[in-house]
Amino acid sequence: MSKSSNAVSRRNFLSSVLATSSGLVLGNLASSSPLNAAGILDEPHAGGNSLSINIEDYPELKEAGGYKVLKEVAIGDMTDSIIIVRKSDTDFLAYSSICRHKKCNVKYKKERDLFVCPCHGSTYDINGKVIKGPSQGDIPKYKTKLKNNTLEISN
Ligand code: FES
């Protein structure tokens, strides 16, 4: 074996050790707890087919009628933008916020209890069903479950 091929082998060895090490670090980060040192969820967290948020982190969700769009969050093995509506103290709704026409994010209109797309006016009822085009499809609903201040959203 020549000196140069020996050096290449050493370089390849070091590269694979570094790749393995960084994979372990990323793996540890991916499986780390979503709770901060105080035991509070500090950012949206995806795990399995669900996403959990601490509603205290979102002032928009403090009162009934408030809503929040979480843009491009991972939920299960997909990425979606999700609109969360607080209907009462304990009742939350969650839908994909992506309009089925040309993918703008819909807004919640509390006074009409509807979702309206600001781009071309598509309108969806509170069940996510399209009631006015140009959209031709409904916005998918997610399940929600509130436990203490943690809202779990799942598909
Ligand atoms: S993108 Fe929503 S109506 Fe066109």
Side-chain angles (χ1 to χ4, degrees):
M1 184 180 286
S2 73
K3 193 171 185 172
S4 64
S5 70
N6 201 11
V8 170
S9 296
R10 207 174 296 144
R11 188 177 310 131
N12 285 346
F13 172 75
L14 287 173
S15 294
S16 62
V17 167
L18 286 173
T20 303
S21 300
S22 59
L24 287 172
V25 169
L26 290 174
N28 284 338
L29 288 175
S31 64
S32 68
S33 169
L35 303 178
N36 65 21
I40 297 169
L41 284 166
D42 54 3
E43 60 185 40
H45 171 72
N49 63 347
S50 68
L51 168 75
S52 294
I53 63 165
N54 184 337
I55 57 172
E56 294 290 311
D57 292 341
Y58 300 94
E60 303 92 334
L61 297 174
K62 283 217 161 98
E63 294 180 9
Y67 78 94
K68 173 71 182 171
V69 174
L70 301 177
K71 291 189 178 172
E72 298 181 14
V73 290
I75 184 161
D77 57 0
M78 58 183 236
T79 300
D80 199 358
S81 294
I82 299 174
I83 186 166
I84 303 165
V85 178
R86 184 168 201 159
K87 294 295 287 177
S88 70
D89 282 354
T90 56
D91 189 23
F92 288 80
L93 298 173
Y95 293 88
S96 171
S97 66
I98 299 175
C99 177
R100 293 312 187 238
H101 179 227
K102 291 195 175 177
K103 302 185 180 196
C104 291
N105 282 288
V106 299
K107 295 179 182 297
Y108 174 65
K109 298 294 180 187
K110 178 182 174 183
E111 63 284 355
R112 294 167 57 205
D113 207 23
L114 296 168
F115 299 99
V116 177
C117 180
C119 292
H120 312 100
S122 288
T123 305
Y124 304 85
D125 71 14
I126 197 58
N127 298 309
K129 184 174 173 43
V130 65
I131 55 175
K132 178 177 170 270
S135 174
Q136 298 288 308
D138 303 338
I139 49 174
K141 185 176 187 174
Y142 288 98
K143 296 176 208 149
T144 59
K145 189 164 99 185
L146 182 67
K147 188 173 180 186
N148 300 320
N149 287 329
T150 299
L151 181 67
E152 183 180 287
I153 300 160
S154 60
N155 51 14

